[in-house]
């Protein structure tokens, strides 16, 4: 049957028959009725609507197809690493390996909310219900050792990551009811019962690993052995904990694909690691690495007055992406009994003096929005719930305050003095309702008489300054807070293991939130180490809204579902919103050039190239 299908397929293609006719003919050949919605084979797939680019597109709109090849890009990364495997929980992995070394079936179009174009898979096919998805591999696809990428490798990768991968991989890929290869280049996933319209795209982003080069028995162990994969780069040098060198593969199979044109232009990409933030910045000033993404407004405002910046050798770019604004939060670990009561969390939100911090520390550069999709149409903050949202949240009406439903809820605004009495009185009333009373200058549990005290874990100068300011605010309410500064490695390890009372964190969002929302705040992720549900949320309303957005069939229903999720999260007071970042601050040495066009998602180092100037000094 498969041979007949291939012969028929080839004959139809030679006569220029459209894919829909091909699908009809194959259905007849397989004895399948040709009625109802048919699956369509296409060059791309969008979560909602149609892909923006046609099948014959020549390059992505944010890349420069004429960008020269050559030179070296040096990254400066804060932290360290002990593993080259980014697909497991154990260890600290080198994350750029995911895109530079390991490829997926499809690649994300960075100018659209969520559209994927062919990469290892030449085409993707699904039906209107998205009850299955079929990927046809590009016959040219090769791993870096020259062996072809086959359907067997795809099935192997799916099973490997489903059973041994990170929690998000295990969660996503376990939804597949059945997977099979109909021929060496075709894989079909049966998604019956998943009720997840995003799942075909999630599978399209699955990293593909070579069956012949992966030891399943040791996959979950950390390793500094260079991985073998199909991407444009190979790992060629490793200095444990200090640097990793990626070298462009001259025989890379996909170098002429339209999706890759103008991308991956450097012959070498070196990742240099720094254990301390100030030392990292000093190394940049000396030209030891090529670019940095600045996250500290004080440094961006005052720290770039050094000779190379004044002379124009260092260029500062302000990029405004079109995705929801990244937001920083102070995160309550609700696994701790002291933060289990939502009234306590709401009280501490009242006590944070944003106006004072923003004026004194951040030069008034920041705004502040409650919720997790700030600056986009997906945000519920300041919007009244529509009929669809109210219907979705109706079973949980008792736990969503009316002001959050009607959009009138606002974060507290202080007088900026650090001594606002109105917010203090309101906070103490909530704390009293939760069982805490002031005993002189100490807030105590009414029953146990234990003082209200906790620890804030920080790792950067900005985090420490915010924590100390909040420590001062809380002291007025009789709350004792200790601030512990640790290095980035320990901070990351404790965050992943949920060994903290409160941390600062941010969740980056896209215009097409989906399965990752379960990884961020779904109940199943709360007690699973390695997820991003740092607050430990276990809320049926949140779970239900995540399910609703995954089932949404059109953009209007999708937006309502995401806003309903936003309301459920706001109502849980799992975090204290700190500020929203509307821009990306990029500093780069002028030996590095980037395209004039900026992607919807913001800056993309894979689109940059060398101007042919002398390269950065060798790492010491």
């Amino acid at each position: 049957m498969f041979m007949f299908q291939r012969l028929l397929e080839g004959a139809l293609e030679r006569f220029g028959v459209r894919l829909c006719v091909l699908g009809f003919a194959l259905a007849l050949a397989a004895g399948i009725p040709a009625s109802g919605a048919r699956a369509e084979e296409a060059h791309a797939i969008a979560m909602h609507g149609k892909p923006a680019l046609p099948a014959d597109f020549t390059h992505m709109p944010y890349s420069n197809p004429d960008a020269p090849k050559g030179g070296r890009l040096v990254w400066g990364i804060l932290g360290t690493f002990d593993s080259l495997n980014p697909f497991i929980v154990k260890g600290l992995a080198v994350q750029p390996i995911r895109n530079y070394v390991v490829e997926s079936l499809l690649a994300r179009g960075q100018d659209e909310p969520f559209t994927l174009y062919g990469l290892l898979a030449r085409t993707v096919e699904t039906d209107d219900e998205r009850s299955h998805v079929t990927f046809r591999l590009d016959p040219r696809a090769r791993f870096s050792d020259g062996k072809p990428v086959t359907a067997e490798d795809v099935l192997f990768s799916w099973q490997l990551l489903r059973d041994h991968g990170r929690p998000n991989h295990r969660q996503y890929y376990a939804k597949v009811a059945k997977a099979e290869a109909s021929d060496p280049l075709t894989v079909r996933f049966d998604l019956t019962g998943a009720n997840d319209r995003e799942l075909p795209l999630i599978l399209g982003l699955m990293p593909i690993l070579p069956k012949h080069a992966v030891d399943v028995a040791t996959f979950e162990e950390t390793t500094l052995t260079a991985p073998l994969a199909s991407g444009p780069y190979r790992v060629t040098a490793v200095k444990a904990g200090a640097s990793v060198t990626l070298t462009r593969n001259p025989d890379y199979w996909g170098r002429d694909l339209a999706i890759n044109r103008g991308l991956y232009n450097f012959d070498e990409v070196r990742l240099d690691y720094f254990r301390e933030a100030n030392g990292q910045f000093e190394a940049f000033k000396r030209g030891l690495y090529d670019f940095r993404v600045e996250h500290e407004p004080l440094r961006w405002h005052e720290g770039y007055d050094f000779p190379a910046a004044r002379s124009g050798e260092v260029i500062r770019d302000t990029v405004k992406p079109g995705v929801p604004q990244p937001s920083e939060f102070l995160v309550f670990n609700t696994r701790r009994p002291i933060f289990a009561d939502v009234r306590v969390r709401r009280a501490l939100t009242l006590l944070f003096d944003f106006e004072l911090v923003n004026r004194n520390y951040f030069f008034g550069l920041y705004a502040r929005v409650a919720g997790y999709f700030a600056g986009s149409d997906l945000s519920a903050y300041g919007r009244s719930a529509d009929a669809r949202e109210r219907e979705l949240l109706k079973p949980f009406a008792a736990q969503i305050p009316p002001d959050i439903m009607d959009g009138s809820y606002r974060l507290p605004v202080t007088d900026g003095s650090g001594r606002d009495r109105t917010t203090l009185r309101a906070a103490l009333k909530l704390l009293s309702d939760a069982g805490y009373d002031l005993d002189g200058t100490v807030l105590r549990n009414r029953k146990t008489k234990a003082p209200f005290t906790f620890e804030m874990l920080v790792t950067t100068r900005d985090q420490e300054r915010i924590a100390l300011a909040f420590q001062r605010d809380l002291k007025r309410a009789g709350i004792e807070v200790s601030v512990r500064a640790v290095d980035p490695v320990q901070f990351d390890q404790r965050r992943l293991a949920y060994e903290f009372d409160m941390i600062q964190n941010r969740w980056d969002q896209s215009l097409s939130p989906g399965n990752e929302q379960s990884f961020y705040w779904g109940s199943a992720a709360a007690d699973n180490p390695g997820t991003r549900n740092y607050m430990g949320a276990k809320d049926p309303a949140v779970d239900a809204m995540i399910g609703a957005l995954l089932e949404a069939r059109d953009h209007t229903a999708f937006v309502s579902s995401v806003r309903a999720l936003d309301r459920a999260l706001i109502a849980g007071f799992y975090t204290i919103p700190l500020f929203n970042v509307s821009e990306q601050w990029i500093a780069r040495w002028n030996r590095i050039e980037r395209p004039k066009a900026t992607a919807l998602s913001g800056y993309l180092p894979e689109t940059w190239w060398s101007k042919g100037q002398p390269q950065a000094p060798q790492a010491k």
Side-chain angles (χ1 to χ4, degrees):
M1 176 62 71
F2 298 139
M3 183 175 292
F4 174 76
Q5 289 180 0
R6 285 299 188 198
L7 289 172
L8 178 59
E9 192 174 281
L12 289 168
E13 286 178 348
R14 283 194 297 273
F15 285 97
V17 180
R18 294 176 61 85
L19 286 173
C20 60
V21 179
L22 171 59
F24 178 80
L26 290 176
L28 292 177
I32 302 172
S35 60
R38 302 299 303 158
E40 293 186 7
E41 191 174 34
H43 71 293
I45 181 173
M47 182 61 196
H48 298 108
K50 300 292 184 182
L53 301 179
D56 60 351
F57 76 96
T58 59
H59 66 279
M60 303 309 286
Y62 45 80
S63 71
N64 174 11
D66 299 318
K69 304 293 185 182
R72 180 173 70 241
L73 178 70
V74 182
W75 287 25
I77 302 174
L78 186 62
T80 187
F81 67 92
D82 60 9
S83 177
L84 299 184
N85 184 354
F87 308 116
I88 59 174
V89 171
K90 193 173 182 180
L92 296 172
V94 179
Q95 293 301 327
I97 282 178
R98 171 62 184 90
N99 293 319
Y100 281 76
V101 178
V102 181
E103 292 184 305
S104 51
L105 294 165
L106 307 175
R108 187 185 290 268
Q110 300 288 354
D111 243 13
E112 301 169 66
F114 195 12
T115 298
L116 305 180
Y117 293 86
L119 186 57
L120 285 173
R122 177 178 281 179
T123 63
V124 56
E125 175 186 314
T126 188
D127 60 346
D128 185 61
E129 297 297 324
R130 296 194 174 176
S131 62
H132 65 82
V133 62
T134 298
F135 300 99
R136 299 191 192 279
L137 298 176
D138 192 317
R140 299 169 294 177
R142 294 288 186 275
F143 292 109
S144 61
D145 62 356
K147 295 184 182 297
V149 180
T150 68
E152 190 175 5
D153 294 306
V154 176
L155 292 178
F156 169 77
S157 300
W158 165 67
Q159 293 171 332
L160 177 72
L161 296 170
R162 180 197 62 187
D163 299 336
H164 302 283
R166 295 183 66 84
N168 54 324
H169 291 146
R170 299 187 190 206
Q171 176 184 329
Y172 302 160
Y173 304 150
K175 294 183 179 183
V176 175
K178 182 182 179 182
E180 58 185 355
S182 56
D183 63 51
L185 295 178
T186 306
V187 179
R188 175 187 166 108
F189 293 95
D190 183 355
L191 313 179
T192 304
N195 295 321
D196 183 347
R197 295 186 59 78
E198 189 188 42
L199 195 51
L201 287 83
I202 293 295
L203 291 167
L205 288 175
M206 179 171 62
I208 304 303
L209 304 171
K211 182 178 181 181
H212 65 275
V214 175
D215 184 352
V216 177
T218 61
F219 182 73
E220 292 188 60
E221 299 300 318
T222 60
T223 179
L224 293 179
T225 300
L228 189 151
S230 64
Y233 289 83
R234 296 178 292 191
V235 177
T236 54
V238 178
K239 292 183 181 179
S243 71
V244 174
T245 299
L246 311 177
T247 302
R248 191 152 54 88
N249 180 5
D251 300 319
Y252 172 49
W253 76 273
R255 62 182 177 272
D256 296 324
L257 295 178
I259 190 75
N260 288 329
R261 197 159 294 141
L263 274 60
Y264 307 116
N265 301 309
F266 297 95
D267 285 343
E268 182 179 289
V269 175
R270 195 178 73 218
L271 314 170
D272 287 348
Y273 284 77
F274 298 84
R275 295 293 293 259
E276 192 270 326
N278 288 333
Q280 180 196 26
F281 183 57
E282 290 302 314
F284 176 74
K285 291 163 64 175
R286 293 172 55 197
L288 293 180
Y289 61 95
D290 292 317
F291 78 98
R292 62 181 281 112
V293 182
E294 188 58 73
H295 296 295
E296 295 193 13
L298 177 61
R299 179 176 285 144
W300 186 252
H301 192 266
E302 295 185 342
Y304 285 81
D305 186 22
F306 53 90
R310 290 195 296 268
S311 69
E313 291 179 272
V314 167
I315 300 169
R316 294 201 293 166
D317 298 322
T318 298
V319 176
K320 293 189 176 183
V323 296
Q325 297 171 359
S327 302
E328 294 282 344
F329 303 89
L330 292 177
V331 184
F332 297 104
N333 186 351
T334 64
R335 303 170 188 85
R336 300 288 202 255
I338 201 168
F339 293 140
D341 193 317
V342 68
R343 292 169 295 186
V344 169
R345 304 196 296 270
R346 188 161 191 169
L348 268 63
T349 300
L350 286 168
L351 291 171
F352 180 74
D353 195 334
F354 168 75
E355 283 67 35
L356 179 67
V357 169
N358 193 37
R359 183 185 68 240
N360 291 350
Y361 295 166
F362 300 139
F363 306 96
L365 291 173
Y366 287 146
R368 190 181 186 220
V369 172
Y372 300 83
F373 305 93
S376 76
D377 194 42
L378 302 175
S379 176
Y381 188 65
R383 288 187 173 100
S384 179
D386 61 27
R388 168 69 175 164
E389 292 177 70
R390 293 183 182 278
E391 184 64 28
L392 288 171
L393 290 169
K394 188 175 181 179
F396 314 100
Q399 68 188 70
I400 311 293
D403 58 347
I404 292 177
M405 287 298 296
D406 65 23
S408 62
Y409 170 72
R410 293 294 185 273
L411 286 166
V413 177
T414 71
D415 60 14
S417 67
R419 299 181 299 275
D420 190 288
R421 294 184 177 182
T422 302
T423 53
L424 178 60
R425 282 195 297 269
L428 288 173
K429 173 64 169 60
L430 284 167
L431 289 167
S432 178
D433 293 343
Y436 293 92
D437 296 318
L438 271 176
D439 178 11
T441 59
V442 178
L443 188 71
R444 297 185 183 276
N445 184 292
R446 189 176 300 135
K447 293 181 179 178
T448 67
K449 304 303 179 182
F452 193 116
T453 181
F454 65 93
E455 178 186 88
M456 295 182 68
L457 193 68
V458 301
T459 189
T460 68
R461 181 177 61 170
D462 258 15
Q463 288 183 5
E464 186 173 27
R465 296 175 77 198
I466 290 172
L468 291 173
F470 194 35
Q471 179 188 58
R472 184 177 59 247
D473 295 337
L474 295 174
K475 183 72 172 177
R476 298 174 58 236
I479 298 173
E480 264 315 312
V481 178
S482 60
V483 178
R484 176 175 293 187
V486 298
D487 63 59
V489 176
Q490 185 179 162
F491 182 86
D492 198 48
Q493 290 172 338
R494 289 184 60 175
R495 179 175 59 176
L496 290 173
Y498 314 133
E499 294 177 356
F500 61 86
D501 296 333
M502 178 178 282
I503 59 170
Q504 184 173 329
N505 190 70
R506 90 180 206 186
W507 291 267
D508 289 345
Q509 296 282 8
S510 74
L511 289 172
S512 183
N515 276 276
E516 79 285 348
Q517 302 302 303
S518 294
F519 192 59
Y520 290 172
W521 21 72
S523 295
D527 297 321
N528 194 357
T531 75
R532 295 181 187 172
N533 187 347
Y534 303 124
M535 66 274 282
K538 291 183 178 179
D539 187 342
V542 170
D543 294 337
M545 297 311 104
I546 294 172
L549 70 88
L550 292 176
E551 294 176 18
R553 297 180 64 88
D554 58 65
H555 185 68
T556 300
F558 173 75
V559 170
S560 295
S561 301
V562 178
R563 288 181 185 171
L565 170 63
D566 203 23
R567 293 185 203 279
L569 290 168
I570 294 171
F573 289 91
Y574 298 108
T575 64
I576 300 174
L578 293 179
F579 50 81
N580 309 110
V581 183
S582 61
E583 301 171 336
Q584 295 173 341
W585 298 327
I586 315 296
R588 58 185 167 92
W589 283 81
N590 63 4
R591 56 181 172 255
I592 302 300
E593 190 57 271
R594 67 183 187 92
K596 294 180 179 178
T598 299
L600 186 72
S601 59
Y603 78 99
L604 296 171
E606 60 266 35
T607 66
W608 300 352
W609 63 90
S610 172
K611 293 177 66 175
Q613 300 297 324
Q615 294 301 303
Q618 293 292 329
K620 296 181 180 180

